[in-house]
Amino acid sequence: MMELALASGIGVLTAAGVYLLLRARTFDVILGLTLLSYATNLLIFSAGRLAVGKPPVLRPELAENLQNHTDPLPQALVLTAIVIAFAMTAVTIVVAMRSRSDNRSDHVDARKPGCDA
Amino acid sequence: MNHLPVLPILIPMLAGALILLLERRGIIVQRIVAWTSILALLVVAGLLVDRAGEGGLSVYLIGDWPARLGIALLVDRVAALMVMTTSLLAVASLLYACANWDRRALHFHALFQLQLAGLNGAFLTGDLFNLFVFFEVLLIASYGLMLSGGRSLRMRAGLHYVVFNIMASTLFLIALGLLYGLTGTLNMAEMAARVAADPADQAIIRSASAILLIVFCSKAALLPLYLWLPETYSRTPAAVVALFTVMTKLGVYAVLRVYTLVFAAGAGESASWVWPWLLGAGVITLVLASLGVLAGRTLRGTVAYLVIASAATLFIAISMHTGASIGAGLYYLAHSTFVTAALYLIVDLVRRQRGALADRLAASAPMPQRTLLGLLFLIGAVSVAGLPPLSGFIGKLALLGSVPADQVWWIWATILITSLMTVVALSRVGSQIFWRGQNDPVDPATTRPTAPRRLEVAAAIMLLGFGIVLTVAAAPILDYTAAAGAQILATDEYLDQVRATLPLLRAPSP
Amino acid sequence: MTFPALEILLGLPFVLALIIALSRSASRSSIGWLAAAAPVLGLGLLGMITPEVLDGTVVQSSHPWIGQLGLMFTLRIDGLAWMFAGLVLGIGTLVIIYARYYLSDNDSPQRFFAYLLLFMGSMLGMVIAGNLLLLVVFWEMTSISSFLLIGFWNQRNDAREGARMALAITGAGGLALLGGVLLIGRIVGSYELDVVLASGDLIRAHSLYPAALLLVLAGVFTKSAQFPFHFWLPHAMAAPTPVSAYLHSATMVKAGVFLLARMHPALSGTDLYFYVVSAVGATTLLIGAWTAIFQHDIKGLLAYSTISHLGLITLLFGLSTPLAVVAAIFHIINHAVFKASLFMAAGIIDHETGSRDMRRLGGLRKFMPITSTLAIVATLAMAGIPLLNGFLSKEMFFAQALEIQGHAAMRTAISVAAFLAGVFGVAYSLRFVHDTFFGTWPRPIEDAPHEPPRWMKIPVEVLVVVCLAVGIVPAYTVAPVLAAAAYGVLGDALPTYSLAIWHGINLPLLMSVGGMIGGMILYFGLRRLFDIHAIMRESFGRRVFRRQVNGLLALSWRFTRGIGNGSLQRYLLFMVLVTIILAAVPFLADGATLLGTNAVSQPMPLLGWAIWLVLVGGALATVMLHRQRLLALIVIGSVGLAVSVVFVFLSAPDLALTQLLVEMVTIALMLLALNYLPQESPAEPSRMRRWRDGAIAICAGAGVTALAYAMMTRPANTIASELLARSLPEGYGSNVVNVILVDFRGFDTLGEIVVFGIAGLVVHALLRRARLRPDTIMPGPADLLPMPMTLSHLLFPLALAVSVYLFLRGHNEPGGGFIAGLVLAIPLLLQYVIEGSQRVESRIGFDYARCIGIGLLCSIATGIASMGFGFPFLTSGHVEPGLPLIGEVPLASALGFDIGVYLVVFGGVMLTLSMMGTVKSPTEPAIRAHTS
């Protein structure tokens, strides 16, 4: 059940992200990319399979194995992914700002208002 | 302990950090650091090629962890060749930038070094997620290099470039998640073993590998993912775009590396499926790109399509998937990188000679230095079109020679006809730009030629010179690339070598 | 041969071309002499090896170039190569002398002679190449250099077009030839000429023979201007006349027929060969001769006559009997001689009268008697009048045409063609002589021309003398040369033949006589019937070629525009679509099971569903509301929150913390950005597109869901257990995630912080000098709220403490450098948002870029330290000092690494934020940020 829920959640995030990604305005595209990054983070995370209450923080009383802890590797990967996604978002935002102010339009193709498709 | 494999990444990274500290000390200091790093890089690259040339694979365990736990670098002939190509390219492009662009683009030298670190990392790493990380490093650095000091339409092109690549990176992550979830490891060789081991999940693995393929092909500008390239490259400063010419090749390299290693041996279905697709796509892309060369209305646009065409040719080479064809492809890779970079530099010089006309294909008043630039362009054009006697011809010759008999007809036809199209296009371009038209719109007001600086011309000549070297020393180089092609197909050796390389003081992995 | 004569012979032109190109200041005449030195010295060298060649030995020298491709640098001179080399060099010398006086003062002699020598070298290389691939190399080089020569007067449109046309046609032929040669290589297994020529039977027997033959012939026909590729030659006449005299009579156009001769032992002797070659030759012979009659431009007439003579030669090779081959070679020599002299004469006329149009010329024999006599003699040779060299080879040609064995139909056809060609030949020769030298000078007498400088005449005189000498006493002049050349082709199959003027009354002689009479009748008949001068014929081939090229250009433009319309939306659409398709194929193709083996579904608590609802609802709401941007921002924030809760819920505290902090910063950035972007997206015109994108989005979502579920329901065989086991003993940390970040996969983290740092730099580079007009100040610097400001001041020291704490415990508990860095940045961010950047900047002026640099250095240095001890990069070491308050701090060297992370993250975030905060609007005066 839980797997299906998470999978579907990821799916919805992806769908929403893709839809916004295909819009014509920079800001919408940025929103789309953000949603997509949520989706991918959750996907990578789910690659470690799902477990409740088994943080990968070693405790003296618990044996160090996958019965007591979830897979830490995907978590590390997601951390890296989050950071990189943030960096990319920052850059995108700024480029969007510059493109808007330089080209007088926030259309992704810098089309003048009115003649957009 | 031999640290050679990690140096190509560390040197520029260190230099980049150092430059950030010294930025307030003025441009000269930055240049000194940059050049020291580049020269060191050249030496290291030389040593790498030399060592790889002896035929061994060297695996470097970062953090002294066993390959499957930590991250391992992997040096074979191909990787060494790529590092070498990049370093040589970097010398020329830095030379060009030092003429004056680096004064105008904020953080240029830092970004340049970090970009090199990213490229070399991507070439050397043997770990799939680490490959992703270095992709991001070189991408974000390339955003900086492209956009720093730019404005207006370059911003639009930049936006396209950034968004497109972020989407590609997203796909990369999806593929990575799936692959780790199914194989439970990130080291390419280990992953190869596990992929080969479980035939049950072939379908999903193949889906994941398909998604990964999209990522690499969008970097390498393969049909239908090349549309972003012409505009982006045309809007990028010359010194930078010269370096960018190796990035499409990086995509090809990634395909070659991942699909010969991870999805090759044993993994029958997920191995074989990719090459026919790529061969077809490569052929179509080559045709379309040549049409693009013919259709070019600006010099930079024309060169951009030449870049795409060269990438397509590479795909044809590696998709035929014999040691010989891959070897020919690698030679062609080096050649096309240098010559397209040279063309971009030459075109930039021409553009600045023609004032308002810029690089539009229209008859203009005779420009100063038209003889020199014309000569350089001629050499570049002959080489890129694959006419004798320059490296382009040798590359194509080697490629045509390596085509297996059953595919000879259509592949030869494609390659020969597209080269003819290139010849026609370039003769047209050349005669329009360098040969004075009868109806000269001589407009002194618009024509403010800025003379080419010595360094800039030197950079262009240097790149063409690399081509000459490739021509004269073709025999040994082709030997090397052929060996590289054979080596990369021998997948099992990689796994053995990765497993056989033990940590110094840690316990090996069971 | 000890001393490398062949290499020097070949090298000379190139070296001298280089010298001339570099000699900027040299005088015209010295450049002329320099240029002439190449062929003269060359002839000397050739003379040295002549004795060997004449007694039948083949002079060779071979160097490896690219052995693995079979491309050897083999030079090889046998009789044929020797004869051609002689032509190239001999006529080359004369042309150079002639050109020295022909070129006007505003033609750069450097360029001209450099190009000319370049061509001479390539041509020489082609004839003495001993390796087929090498031959192709030089073959293409002649195309390139002739492109430069034809376009020498590049201010003229016709020159540029002619040059492009020639390059396109001959270049295409060259590529075809390359293909053919490669096929031959595959058949024979070598490209060495000796081997190839020796294995003719093997080639003819092979299944690839027809393909190889046709490809090679394509090269031959394009180069030698055979029908239907002949039309480029007349347009190449835009070249300076010396070039026409050299390339388009004596040498380059002969390259094709040279190749026929060269490959004769390997390719000829099949019906296919016979029919194709002789048919094409005959057609060209007739078309060329007939068209020549109606040209008004002297060079045009000569060009078409050249075409027809080349057709004659090709036809002879097509017949491919030994005697035909001899005749062909003989005619190659003769044609080269008389046609070169005629072109030079034409050049003189042009030079002196300023026109080559026969309608504007006449009566020249009165003004320039010597030139006229020379030209007339040469023309008679062209027409094949007895006592001149043309006559002899033409006789042999007639004889061969009459003696075709077997193919009776072909015999009659070709004999008729030969006779007609004879008639036409005489006709256009008459036209030339009559229109140019006889009749009356059409223009006022004062601008009447006069004889040229004598150095322009001398080359013509030399050539005409040769015509006569060969024509009268062939046995003592041309015989040995012809014998040697023919031997080079035929080897021991060399037939016995006699070069005599008088063979008695026989059919060929009658054909000649008939031809002459017929020619006169035809010419004067035509004149009587209608005015030749009025006839205008535009080259058909050129029209077709133009249409083809323009069509191709238009097509390519449509294609390129059609595919790439410069719209990002399309690029992304393609990427998404291709991904969906490629990823779906394996399932659709071999319907693999989606569901994994262990579909053990864990129970889903209520809380889980709640989170799920927020997540999904938030995502959908973002889509719904995305046009009211502020609202969308808040909603998407909630989605991010939900994600971090998911992480808490599924036992990933580090992730939750990071996700939370990053979320805050991202939202803040977007808020700041909204100052400079419109508050709303305009409505989209096309509902169609919205539906299309929606459908695609759903497909993508479904696909990802399927893949994710399929993955999660499969057993995981991961290396994680090993990581867990080795984290504490070897990584000295009990927070395994953090240990992975700074130790197991520290290299990733290094790359990650590089990315982070660069992001800061990019933002800095993009915004420092930028002037952006705020759209409407949203949460602006404008109004200062007193209360929160003090709050944020209080917050700062607290945040510092917290971040240090988080940082230090990070290795064992959730936390670490990255989180700590963000925690430190957040309150500053608050200040930026609340009280505006300038104030903050003035309080904490700080070079964030340098901070990033220091951080990077710190991390890298930690990594390098271990290399000092002889361990790989980033190997971690360990000590355990006790610190007050915080307790046991395991100072893994990883800590040093983490400090770097801390600094980079802090610097990066702050740099970004401060830039976003201090953007200068074009209106208000700029206050420089401290961060430049």
Side-chain angles (χ1 to χ4, degrees):
Chain A
M1 211 56 231
M2 194 186 282
E3 283 78 6
L4 192 54
L6 186 58
S8 58
I10 296 172
V12 173
L13 284 173
T14 315
V18 169
Y19 180 79
L20 287 177
L21 183 77
L22 295 175
R23 303 274 70 39
R25 300 288 157 179
T26 54
F27 192 81
D28 308 351
V29 173
I30 293 172
L31 288 181
L33 289 174
T34 318
L35 286 179
L36 279 171
S37 75
Y38 296 151
T40 46
N41 292 341
L42 285 174
L43 180 73
I44 300 175
F45 176 72
S46 68
R49 308 301 186 269
L50 312 182
V52 182
K54 298 179 183 175
V57 180
L58 305 179
R59 300 259 171 274
E61 66 275 12
L62 289 176
E64 307 139 341
N65 57 28
L66 285 168
Q67 278 66 47
N68 307 331
H69 305 284
T70 53
D71 185 346
L73 190 50
Q75 299 195 13
L77 301 187
V78 174
L79 275 176
T80 313
I82 291 179
V83 177
I84 289 177
F86 169 71
M88 293 297 170
T89 317
V91 171
T92 323
I93 290 173
V94 173
V95 177
M97 286 163 62
R98 277 296 303 275
S99 174
R100 164 85 199 304
S101 75
D102 289 10
N103 303 324
R104 296 267 155 275
S105 156
D106 73 328
H107 190 287
V108 284
D109 305 331
R111 300 234 188 85
K112 295 285 163 283
C115 64
D116 51 26
Chain B
M1 186 65 211
N2 183 337
H3 297 295
L4 205 52
V6 77
L7 291 184
I9 308 169
L10 283 189
I11 292 170
M13 208 179 259
L14 215 49
L18 214 57
I19 289 174
L20 279 180
L21 288 189
L22 301 175
E23 263 183 343
R24 295 242 177 116
R25 301 277 175 79
I27 198 75
I28 302 301
V29 183
Q30 299 183 36
R31 284 180 183 168
I32 294 170
V33 180
W35 278 106
T36 349
S37 140
I38 285 273
L39 297 179
L41 196 56
L42 268 181
V43 176
V44 172
L47 292 172
L48 268 183
V49 170
D50 180 47
R51 222 176 104 193
E54 293 155 12
L57 291 164
S58 35
V59 175
Y60 184 87
L61 304 175
I62 285 179
D64 199 33
W65 292 106
R68 57 194 300 216
L69 297 187
I71 293 170
L73 301 183
L74 183 69
V75 186
D76 58 355
R77 287 198 180 87
V78 186
L81 178 72
M82 297 305 290
V83 171
M84 188 49 150
T85 311
T86 312
S87 319
L88 289 172
L89 189 63
V91 174
S93 114
L94 190 63
L95 194 62
Y96 195 89
C98 284
N100 89 324
W101 176 249
D102 61 349
R103 292 179 184 281
R104 290 170 50 194
L106 185 59
H107 299 309
F108 174 85
H109 283 292
L111 291 169
F112 191 85
Q113 294 297 324
L114 294 174
Q115 163 105 62
L116 286 181
L119 283 165
N120 290 340
F123 291 135
L124 291 172
T125 186
D127 180 287
L128 209 51
F129 191 82
N130 195 237
L131 179 65
F132 165 77
V133 170
F134 277 113
F135 261 59
E136 297 308 301
V137 172
L138 70 92
L139 281 174
I140 198 163
S142 72
Y143 306 154
L145 286 171
M146 175 193 176
L147 296 174
S148 177
R151 72 170 70 77
S152 65
L153 284 179
R154 186 184 295 175
M155 283 300 152
R156 181 186 72 183
L159 185 76
H160 288 188
Y161 181 55
V162 173
V163 172
F164 187 82
N165 277 304
I166 293 181
M167 185 56 200
S169 308
T170 311
L171 293 178
F172 202 151
L173 283 175
I174 294 177
L176 273 172
L178 294 171
L179 286 172
Y180 178 79
L182 293 166
T183 63
T185 177
L186 290 166
N187 178 285
M188 294 189 198
E190 290 288 339
M191 195 179 277
R194 302 197 177 192
V195 166
D198 72 347
D201 302 343
Q202 285 306 317
I204 307 181
I205 289 180
R206 182 177 156 183
S207 291
S209 68
I211 298 176
L212 204 53
L213 187 68
I214 304 290
V215 179
F216 297 150
C217 289
S218 56
K219 296 275 176 301
L222 187 68
L223 184 90
L225 304 169
Y226 66 75
L227 301 176
W228 58 274
L229 190 140
E231 181 67 7
T232 308
Y233 277 25
S234 304
R235 300 277 175 209
T236 306
V240 177
V241 77
L243 185 63
F244 279 15
T245 50
V246 84
M247 287 212 287
T248 52
K249 313 298 189 294
L250 168 65
V252 182
Y253 169 83
V255 173
L256 185 61
R257 166 69 71 218
V258 171
Y259 289 84
T260 49
L261 182 47
V262 180
F263 306 107
E269 182 197 329
S270 35
S272 51
W273 75 271
V274 66
W275 302 117
W277 282 76
L278 284 179
L279 188 55
V283 167
I284 302 171
T285 313
L286 182 54
V287 173
L288 290 180
S290 310
L291 285 176
V293 176
L294 274 168
R297 302 213 167 166
T298 66
L299 275 171
R300 288 180 293 185
T302 311
V303 183
Y305 277 101
L306 286 172
V307 173
I308 299 174
S310 70
T313 317
L314 284 176
F315 270 109
I316 295 178
I318 66 168
S319 315
M320 292 186 288
H321 213 57
T322 66
S325 68
I326 294 177
L330 291 172
Y331 177 93
Y332 191 81
L333 185 150
H335 144 76
S336 58
T337 311
F338 293 139
V339 71
T340 44
L343 280 174
Y344 266 119
L345 297 188
I346 296 163
V347 163
D348 187 55
L349 294 176
V350 171
R351 185 179 59 83
R352 292 185 349 222
Q353 300 274 307
R354 290 159 47 97
L357 262 175
D359 63 341
R360 278 197 302 285
L361 294 188
S364 72
M367 52 183 165
Q369 286 93 17
R370 123 166 187 263
T371 326
L372 170 67
L373 295 178
L375 181 64
L376 294 181
F377 181 85
L378 176 73
I379 298 174
V382 165
S383 178
V384 79
L387 288 181
L390 296 178
S391 47
F393 173 73
I394 297 172
K396 288 219 165 112
L397 195 60
L399 182 53
L400 293 173
S402 72
V403 177
D406 56 339
Q407 286 161 326
V408 157
W409 291 118
W410 61 297
I411 291 183
W412 278 18
T414 319
I415 291 179
L416 291 177
I417 292 173
T418 48
S419 350
L420 177 62
M421 288 159 77
T422 318
V423 172
V424 172
L426 289 180
S427 66
R428 178 166 153 273
V429 169
S431 59
Q432 273 175 327
I433 293 287
F434 296 100
W435 285 356
R436 198 187 318 104
Q438 260 170 343
N439 44 358
D440 294 346
V442 188
D443 184 356
T446 56
T447 327
R448 287 171 280 85
T450 51
R453 302 175 182 76
R454 275 212 169 64
L455 285 181
E456 295 172 330
V457 179
I461 292 176
M462 177 186 287
L463 284 170
L464 292 176
F466 293 154
I468 307 288
V469 173
L470 279 173
T471 314
V472 177
I477 296 174
L478 277 167
D479 283 334
Y480 179 93
T481 55
Q487 182 182 33
I488 202 166
L489 287 181
T491 309
D492 302 342
E493 292 176 16
Y494 285 78
L495 186 53
D496 301 343
Q497 189 59 35
V498 165
R499 289 198 171 148
T501 325
L502 302 177
L504 286 181
L505 79 170
R506 301 188 197 278
S509 172
Chain C
M1 194 163 59
T2 54
F3 130 99
L6 301 190
E7 290 78 355
I8 300 175
L9 176 65
L10 179 57
L12 268 172
F14 293 109
V15 174
L16 280 164
L18 194 64
I19 296 172
I20 289 175
L22 297 179
S23 67
R24 277 268 151 272
S25 57
S27 76
R28 299 183 79 83
S29 59
S30 56
I31 290 173
W33 289 121
L34 260 180
V40 172
L41 294 176
L43 281 171
L45 283 167
L46 205 60
M48 284 175 43
I49 59 172
T50 302
E52 296 172 69
V53 174
L54 284 188
D55 53 32
T57 54
V58 175
V59 186
Q60 290 232 34
S61 85
S62 184
H63 311 278
W65 182 6
I66 313 177
Q68 58 266 65
L69 300 183
L71 174 45
M72 306 294 286
F73 201 91
T74 308
L75 301 180
R76 174 182 184 279
I77 292 195
D78 62 354
L80 183 68
W82 173 80
M83 186 272 278
F84 260 95
L87 273 183
V88 170
L89 294 170
I91 297 187
T93 319
L94 299 177
V95 164
I96 288 171
I97 297 170
Y98 176 83
R100 154 79 185 81
Y101 294 89
Y102 176 87
L103 290 181
S104 74
D105 295 341
N106 46 21
D107 304 328
S108 142
Q110 277 96 350
R111 251 176 75 228
F112 183 84
F113 285 118
Y115 291 167
L116 197 71
L117 289 183
L118 203 60
F119 169 81
M120 187 184 289
S122 317
M123 192 66 203
L124 204 54
M126 198 208 66
V127 295
I128 70 175
N131 176 298
L132 279 183
L133 286 175
L134 191 65
L135 187 146
V136 174
V137 168
F138 284 114
W139 177 283
E140 289 287 41
M141 282 171 70
T142 57
S143 302
I144 297 167
S145 45
S146 75
F147 170 77
L148 295 172
L149 281 168
I150 298 171
F152 180 74
W153 284 326
N154 51 45
Q155 66 278 15
R156 287 168 38 182
N157 267 334
D158 58 341
R160 293 200 300 276
E161 189 191 357
R164 284 208 298 272
M165 197 185 283
L167 182 64
I169 303 290
T170 55
L175 289 167
L177 176 63
L178 175 60
V181 165
L182 285 171
L183 281 182
I184 292 177
R186 292 208 171 197
I187 298 171
V188 180
S190 159
Y191 297 102
E192 286 298 292
L193 214 44
D194 291 334
V195 185
V196 174
L197 296 184
S199 45
D201 300 335
L202 170 62
I203 297 175
R204 281 184 289 268
H206 198 282
S207 61
L208 286 175
Y209 168 75
L213 175 64
L214 292 179
L215 284 169
V216 172
L217 287 182
V220 169
F221 293 159
T222 49
K223 200 78 164 182
S224 282
Q226 295 299 294
F227 180 84
F229 309 109
H230 60 286
F231 57 89
W232 68 265
L233 187 53
H235 296 289
M237 291 302 140
T241 305
V243 175
S244 315
Y246 193 34
L247 273 63
H248 306 128
S249 69
T251 55
M252 189 178 86
V253 291
K254 294 287 198 318
V257 285
F258 165 79
L259 195 62
L260 280 180
R262 184 82 287 173
M263 301 302 288
H264 182 269
L267 294 179
S268 72
T270 62
D271 278 3
L272 181 65
Y273 186 92
F274 169 77
Y275 280 115
V276 173
V277 178
S278 45
V280 168
T283 324
T284 317
L285 170 64
L286 281 178
I287 289 184
W290 174 254
T291 323
I293 304 175
F294 301 97
Q295 298 301 310
H296 305 310
D297 176 359
I298 298 177
K299 282 177 76 175
L301 181 145
L302 293 178
Y304 277 102
S305 118
T306 305
I307 291 176
S308 92
H309 282 274
L310 287 166
L312 189 161
I313 298 167
T314 312
L315 170 52
L316 279 169
F317 278 116
L319 303 182
S320 54
T321 58
L323 271 173
V325 171
V326 176
I329 295 170
F330 190 21
H331 198 67
I332 289 176
I333 303 171
N334 296 335
H335 176 258
V337 174
F338 64 67
K339 194 53 68 73
S341 62
L342 277 173
F343 269 111
M344 293 185 183
I348 292 175
I349 294 168
D350 189 8
H351 196 264
E352 300 303 322
T353 67
S355 165
R356 295 189 325 234
D357 186 336
M358 284 183 279
R359 290 165 300 183
R360 308 187 55 248
L361 295 172
L364 288 184
R365 78 183 193 293
K366 287 192 286 299
F367 307 110
M368 36 174 78
I370 306 170
T371 315
S372 308
T373 357
L374 294 171
I376 291 169
V377 175
T379 318
L380 295 180
M382 174 166 75
I385 305 301
L387 295 186
L388 290 161
N389 56 358
F391 172 71
L392 300 173
S393 40
K394 200 163 122 193
E395 289 286 289
M396 294 170 82
F397 165 51
F398 286 157
Q400 287 311 308
L402 293 167
E403 287 165 15
I404 298 172
Q405 301 306 327
H407 324 269
M410 275 300 264
R411 174 165 68 239
T412 40
I414 289 181
S415 309
V416 173
F419 176 74
L420 283 179
V423 173
F424 300 157
V426 174
Y428 65 69
S429 309
L430 262 175
R431 162 98 201 268
F432 170 49
V433 173
H434 182 264
D435 267 359
T436 315
F437 303 107
F438 294 85
T440 56
W441 175 245
R443 280 174 278 174
I445 201 68
E446 53 270 16
D447 64 7
H450 48 74
E451 288 289 348
R454 60 188 300 272
W455 278 105
M456 258 175 110
K457 286 206 300 287
I458 287 179
V460 191
E461 290 161 359
V462 173
L463 289 168
V464 169
V465 169
V466 175
C467 288
L468 286 163
V470 172
I472 297 167
V473 282
Y476 305 98
T477 51
V478 77
V481 180
L482 183 55
Y487 182 78
V489 178
L490 300 167
D492 302 329
L494 189 60
T496 53
Y497 57 89
S498 75
L499 294 176
I501 311 167
W502 183 252
H503 294 278
I505 308 284
N506 55 9
L507 202 48
L509 185 62
L510 295 180
M511 280 173 75
S512 304
V513 179
M516 292 167 209
I517 301 163
M520 294 183 200
I521 297 169
L522 174 63
Y523 173 64
F524 290 106
L526 281 172
R527 280 183 72 87
R528 174 119 343 155
L529 291 179
F530 44 85
D531 172 11
I532 293 180
H533 291 182
I535 298 172
M536 275 304 182
R537 14 177 69 232
E538 200 234 346
S539 146
F540 176 68
R542 187 237 212 126
R543 212 164 56 242
V544 175
F545 179 81
R546 264 200 187 145
R547 198 180 302 125
Q548 296 305 331
V549 169
N550 295 337
L552 183 59
L553 291 179
L555 175 84
S556 57
W557 175 251
R558 267 207 306 287
F559 248 98
T560 313
R561 273 299 121 211
I563 299 171
N565 59 354
S567 149
L568 175 64
Q569 289 165 287
R570 174 177 292 191
Y571 307 164
L572 293 171
L573 183 68
F574 281 175
M575 191 185 325
V576 175
L577 281 179
V578 180
T579 314
I580 295 174
I581 294 167
L582 272 191
V585 164
F587 291 98
L588 304 183
D590 45 14
T593 55
L594 210 53
L595 212 55
T597 49
N598 66 336
V600 286
S601 77
Q602 307 187 37
M604 182 78 159
L606 209 57
L607 172 60
W609 284 117
I611 305 169
W612 185 85
L613 275 178
V614 178
L615 198 68
V616 171
L620 295 177
T622 321
V623 174
M624 295 305 151
L625 301 171
H626 74 270
R627 287 183 43 219
Q628 294 93 322
R629 297 183 167 176
L630 204 52
L631 216 56
L633 211 49
I634 295 163
V635 178
I636 208 172
S638 71
V639 179
L641 210 60
V643 172
S644 55
V645 176
V646 171
F647 288 144
V648 178
F649 181 65
L650 294 174
S651 51
D654 280 281
L655 283 187
L657 206 47
T658 317
Q659 171 68 41
L660 197 63
L661 295 169
V662 168
E663 195 57 35
M664 291 167 74
V665 183
T666 315
I667 299 294
L669 282 184
M670 291 193 177
L671 270 173
L672 286 170
L674 268 186
N675 290 348
Y676 305 95
L677 293 172
Q679 299 314 309
E680 297 215 339
S681 307
E684 285 182 53
S686 142
R687 163 182 294 271
M688 251 307 289
R689 165 171 292 204
R690 288 216 303 281
W691 282 109
R692 184 199 69 187
D693 294 352
I696 293 167
I698 289 169
C699 294
V704 173
T705 312
L707 286 174
Y709 189 63
M711 172 189 70
M712 279 188 269
T713 50
R714 276 169 167 71
N717 64 335
T718 147
I719 55 164
S721 47
E722 202 176 339
L723 291 175
L724 290 167
R726 296 177 78 161
S727 167
L728 198 48
E730 296 182 56
Y732 317 109
S734 49
N735 176 1
V736 185
V737 175
N738 186 275
V739 174
I740 293 175
L741 282 177
V742 297
D743 201 336
F744 285 109
R745 301 187 66 87
F747 204 47
D748 279 345
T749 313
L750 184 59
E752 164 197 333
I753 62 175
V754 171
V755 171
F756 204 87
I758 296 177
L761 298 182
V762 176
V763 174
H764 186 207
L766 281 176
L767 291 185
R768 190 184 64 170
R769 298 230 180 74
R771 299 228 179 295
L772 273 54
R773 172 175 295 107
D775 218 58
T776 51
I777 314 296
M778 282 307 300
D783 45 5
L784 307 180
L785 323 162
M787 199 280 287
M789 175 161 43
T790 48
L791 178 72
S792 63
H793 293 169
L794 291 178
L795 223 60
F796 186 64
L798 186 61
L800 190 59
V802 173
S803 80
V804 171
Y805 173 70
L806 278 171
F807 172 75
L808 288 178
R809 70 193 276 263
H811 213 46
N812 294 323
E813 296 294 319
F818 183 80
I819 294 175
L822 281 183
V823 167
L824 183 58
I826 299 272
L828 291 171
L829 150 69
L830 288 180
Q831 280 175 301
Y832 272 106
V833 177
I834 292 167
E835 58 185 285
S837 43
Q838 280 79 13
R839 303 266 308 257
V840 187
E841 289 298 326
S842 55
R843 191 177 302 112
I844 43 161
F846 187 70
D847 183 347
Y848 298 116
R850 173 173 295 188
C851 177
I852 297 173
I854 296 171
L856 283 179
L857 273 183
C858 189
S859 300
I860 301 172
T862 337
I864 292 180
S866 64
M867 292 162 82
F869 300 100
F871 294 119
F873 182 66
L874 273 180
T875 311
S876 56
H878 183 249
V879 285
E880 296 213 4
L883 285 185
L885 298 175
I886 302 156
E888 275 296 291
V889 179
L891 274 184
S893 64
L895 197 64
F897 183 80
D898 224 7
I899 292 177
V901 178
Y902 187 105
L903 290 174
V904 174
V905 170
F906 178 70
V909 178
M910 292 315 293
L911 185 52
T912 311
L913 291 172
S914 63
M915 286 330 292
M916 296 285 281
T918 55
V919 176
K920 293 166 284 302
S921 81
T923 52
E924 73 192 33
I927 304 158
R928 281 184 58 73
H930 289 239
T931 53
S932 51

